[in-house]
Amino acid sequence: MFKKIASDALGLSDIGKIIQPEDFDKTESDDYVLHEDGEKIHFLIKSKSDEYCFTNRALIHLDGEKATSSKRNIYRYDYYRHPIKNVSVETAGTVDLDLEIKFSLGGKAISVDIDKKEGEAIADLYKSLVAISHIQDENERKKEFAQNSVNLSQLLFTDNRFHDGTISTEFEKATKFAFDWFNTTYDENTQKDFSEVFNKYIQN
C-alpha cells in the first residue's frame, strides 16, 4: 500500500521517468533486489505500468500488462546469463515527448520510452550498457580461445599411442585437466558484478 501511494506521489505517467536513488526504496523493484548478497540498484526507470531496475548484477523488469492494474510479472535477467547487445537510443524530435533506449538481453528485445527531459541521464545508461556489452564480448572470445586450445590439445593427445596398461590413468589425468581448465577459464572470464561500470558512468 505504501509503495502504491509513493508511486502516485511521484507523478508518473506511461512515459518512463528516472527515479532518484533516495526513492529507490519506494519502488516495487526494491523488494526483489538481492540486497542480502550485495546487489545494489544503480539506475531505475518507472512508469505507471512498468519498472526497469538496473542493478550491478541484473535487470529486474516489473512488467504491468495495464497501467490500471496492480498485477505485475517480475522478470530477472542476470547479465552473465543474458548478454547485452545492440544498444541504441532514439532521440526525441521537436514535438516528441519521449525518447527511447533499446537493447537486447540474451536475445530478448527491450525497448523503454523515457521523458525527453531525461536525455542526459539516458546517455549515462547507454554508456554503461555499451561498456558491459564490450566486456561480455571480450570474455566470450577468451572462452572460445580456451575451447579451441583444448580441442587442439585433444587432437595431439589422441595421435599418440598409449602404452599397455596406461590408458585409464592417462584418460583420468586428461579428464581432470580439461575440467580444471574449463572451470578456471569460466571463473576468470564470467563477470557477474558490474558495479565498477555503473559507478564510472552513472552520474546520479
Side-chain angles (χ1 to χ4, degrees), residues 19 54 114:
I19 304 303
F54 297 85
I114 309 101

Side-chain angles (χ1 to χ4, degrees), residues 59 77-87 102-111 136:
L59 167 63
Y77 303 96
D78 287 278
Y79 305 132
Y80 84 98
R81 297 180 60 192
H82 300 86
I84 296 172
K85 295 183 182 296
N86 306 317
V87 186
K102 303 177 183 179
F103 56 95
S104 64
L105 271 172
K108 179 178 177 58
I110 305 288
S111 178
Q136 291 174 327

